[in-house]
Amino acid sequence: MKIGFVSLGCPKNQLDTEVMLHELLAAGFEVTPEETEADIIIINTCAFIESAKKESIDNILDIAWLKENHTLKGIVVTGCLAERYRDQLFEELPEIDAALGVGSIHAIVEAVKAVAAGKRFSEYAPADEVRLGGDRVLTTPEYTAYLKIAEGCDNRCAYCAIPDIRGKFRSRPMEDVVAEAKEMEALGVKELVLVAQDTSRYGLDLYGEYKLAALLRAITDATDIPWVRLLYCYPDKITDELIAEIRDNPQVVKYIDLPVQHATDHMLKAMNRHGDRAMIEDTIARLRAAIPDIIIRTTFIVGFPGETEEDFLSLCEFVRATKFDRAGVFPYSREEDTPAYDFPDQIDEQLKLDRADILMREQQAVVDELMPKRVGTTVLVLVEDFDPVSEAHYGRSAADAPEIDGKIFFLSPVRIAPGSFVDVEITEVQDYDLVGRAIIPKA
């Protein structure tokens, strides 16, 4: 029996997909990348915001076409959509044959066997009790891997359903994380990306204090992985010890993902974010003072209930003044079962989109100012592939996280294998990407 997979959403969800893949292969199933060849397809869904829910449902309906018109025998839905809408799922989407909540990913083999036998199946173990970690099959390129260091969230931002979907925050024991990092190194991984709902909170529940800096040291002491990268850090939990570790540890890339979401105290309080604008500015100042070349990525939400024109203009001014290297902007998504759903002064949908567009233009102006400064510099690039159309290689520097940041395209007199490192002299800027030429040492 052949199993197909569709994995949607964030890297944290992708890691769950990789665990389920391993368990199915270990049980003797065959996995196929061709949906038309599959007997059963598993769709690991996202349901964080409205657009993610729509993408998940569209994928379910697209796959359901194969049941009606091809040889597909069943559909298993896992992940956040299955967890969040467990009571409505089978009724609203009768095309589904089995559903697993986020606490039941380890029941995937049982679910597939039930569907193969023509039975409907569902399981929703408590999200807080799911076993973290476990063997997995990498779905990323062999040189890059994500590593989940914790699950769940305790922050309770007013717009976010994740705590109700994924449960309370729980860190993985440090020795488990380090053991998995060593396994990734043995597989040839050159870049390890640490993820959680809030990586900067790591260790507080297990050890009574923030332990992300200690975890970075433990990983890099135990492995020679050249690049270790941090995503999803909260500005109120950036300790001086963590900043020093990023600065002093040569294996930790000088890059941090630091979602701030807004810049006025009024909006930060309404969002139930921890801290105020002064705290955010202090965190950024401390990072840049200690690590002048650090790349800071962030995200913003515009159109949150009660956001005034003054709030929005203040946010635009903050973006111009702070000059983030990378930024994503999202119009507020009104999510049921979150506090903000019932807030007064909801913002018109078109105004949300207009504000998102304006703020992205402000960020583009920052990028247009910063990127040309990289022309003439030489950067170390992790090679990802060769594009036969442009006859150029491409890859990323330490300043670019996989899947969300730009690329570096470069010419080389010789073919360079994916997963290799090469020095590239930057010669040109193309929007969010850079162009250059490889510096190949003479034999």
Side-chain angles (χ1 to χ4, degrees):
M1 179 164 287
K2 294 183 178 180
I3 309 299
F5 258 94
V6 177
S7 189
L8 306 171
C10 66
K12 299 178 287 291
N13 218 35
Q14 186 175 348
L15 284 160
D16 291 345
T17 294
E18 293 177 346
V19 169
M20 289 189 285
L21 272 168
H22 180 272
E23 294 193 359
L24 286 165
L25 289 169
F29 291 98
E30 180 182 347
V31 173
T32 175
E34 301 297 332
E35 293 174 357
T36 54
E37 293 181 358
D39 298 296
I40 294 172
I41 291 180
I42 296 154
I43 307 172
N44 195 15
T45 59
C46 180
F48 176 49
I49 56 177
E50 188 63 34
S51 59
K53 287 184 283 186
K54 184 178 185 305
E55 182 186 20
S56 294
I57 292 167
D58 287 347
N59 270 272
I60 292 167
L61 296 176
D62 287 345
I63 296 300
W65 185 90
L66 294 174
K67 281 182 71 177
E68 294 293 325
N69 299 280
H70 214 267
T71 57
L72 186 68
K73 297 180 178 65
I75 297 173
V76 180
V77 173
T78 64
C80 292
L81 187 80
E83 180 71 34
R84 190 173 182 186
Y85 299 103
R86 61 171 74 178
D87 295 331
Q88 303 110 288
L89 202 65
F90 286 131
E91 182 180 346
E92 297 290 334
L93 293 166
E95 299 87 351
I96 296 170
D97 300 285
L100 297 178
V102 298
S104 295
I105 62 171
H106 299 293
I108 189 63
V109 172
E110 188 180 356
V112 167
K113 287 180 177 178
V115 172
K119 300 174 184 176
R120 181 164 274 193
F121 183 92
S122 64
E123 183 177 305
Y124 291 94
D128 292 346
E129 297 175 11
V130 66
R131 185 173 77 252
L132 301 183
D135 292 332
R136 57 191 174 104
V137 175
L138 291 186
T139 58
T140 50
E142 60 184 13
Y143 46 81
T144 295
Y146 294 103
L147 179 54
K148 189 187 292 187
I149 65 172
E151 182 56 277
C153 189
D154 291 344
N155 289 314
R156 292 284 172 184
C157 299
Y159 50 79
C160 185
I162 290 298
D164 291 329
I165 297 172
R166 291 277 176 179
K168 65 184 180 182
F169 183 89
R170 40 281 170 231
S171 305
R172 292 177 62 188
M174 195 175 298
E175 56 271 23
D176 287 1
V177 178
V178 171
E180 187 168 344
K182 292 168 72 173
E183 292 171 6
M184 295 299 101
E185 181 182 33
L187 292 173
V189 167
K190 307 288 182 63
E191 177 186 34
L192 197 60
V193 185
L194 305 191
V195 296
Q197 305 298 338
D198 178 358
T199 54
S200 45
R201 194 184 186 91
Y202 175 80
L204 187 63
D205 54 318
L206 287 182
Y207 308 112
E209 58 183 324
Y210 298 137
K211 283 287 190 178
L212 183 55
L215 178 65
L216 289 171
R217 279 196 301 275
I219 289 172
T220 54
D221 283 347
T223 74
D224 292 319
I225 296 173
W227 286 0
V228 179
R229 186 182 302 276
L230 290 174
L231 296 185
Y232 314 121
C233 295
Y234 278 58
D236 60 300
K237 304 179 185 74
I238 305 302
T239 63
D240 289 340
E241 183 187 13
L242 177 60
I243 293 174
E245 190 64 30
I246 298 170
R247 179 193 63 204
D248 299 335
N249 192 327
Q251 290 169 254
V252 178
V253 298
K254 312 315 174 199
Y255 178 110
I256 192 167
D257 176 54
L258 197 75
V260 300
Q261 310 306 13
H262 217 283
T264 68
D265 292 353
H266 164 232
M267 293 311 301
L268 291 167
K269 184 177 181 180
M271 290 178 171
N272 199 34
R273 299 287 291 177
H274 299 177
D276 54 15
R277 177 165 173 165
M279 179 275 295
I280 293 170
E281 291 176 331
D282 176 68
T283 296
I284 293 167
R286 288 189 294 121
L287 282 162
R288 286 177 167 166
I291 317 163
D293 59 343
I294 194 168
I295 299 295
I296 302 178
R297 158 172 276 284
T298 194
T299 53
F300 299 105
I301 296 172
V302 295
F304 189 80
E307 183 185 57
T308 64
E309 187 69 16
E310 183 181 4
D311 287 322
F312 179 66
L313 292 175
S314 181
L315 178 57
C316 290
E317 175 271 323
F318 175 74
V319 167
R320 288 192 296 270
T322 308
K323 300 188 188 304
F324 289 98
D325 303 275
R326 315 271 188 266
V329 178
F330 301 92
Y332 164 70
S333 179
R334 189 181 184 189
E335 297 298 317
E336 64 266 37
D337 301 321
T338 64
Y341 184 85
D342 295 318
F343 281 4
D345 302 318
Q346 298 284 332
I347 305 295
D348 175 76
E349 289 298 325
Q350 188 57 53
L351 183 55
K352 293 180 195 177
L353 295 173
D354 290 345
R355 286 180 175 176
D357 185 57
I358 291 167
L359 193 61
M360 275 310 302
R361 289 205 298 268
E362 295 283 4
Q363 176 61 21
Q364 182 66 57
V366 171
V367 171
D368 290 345
E369 176 187 339
L370 295 178
M371 291 286 274
K373 296 178 181 178
R374 299 181 69 183
V375 173
T377 64
T378 298
V379 297
L380 186 66
V381 171
L382 177 59
V383 180
E384 294 185 309
D385 213 337
F386 178 81
D387 177 19
V389 177
S390 63
E391 296 186 334
H393 293 78
Y394 60 88
R396 293 176 291 105
S397 72
D400 308 299
E403 302 180 285
I404 53 175
D405 293 330
K407 304 280 189 186
I408 296 177
F409 294 86
F410 62 93
L411 301 176
S412 171
V414 296
R415 269 301 176 91
I416 305 172
S420 303
F421 286 99
V422 63
D423 286 321
V424 174
E425 181 184 0
I426 304 302
T427 59
E428 188 182 342
V429 176
Q430 290 184 353
D431 296 325
Y432 290 93
D433 298 323
L434 296 170
V435 177
R437 54 176 171 263
I439 300 174
I440 306 297
K442 293 182 179 179

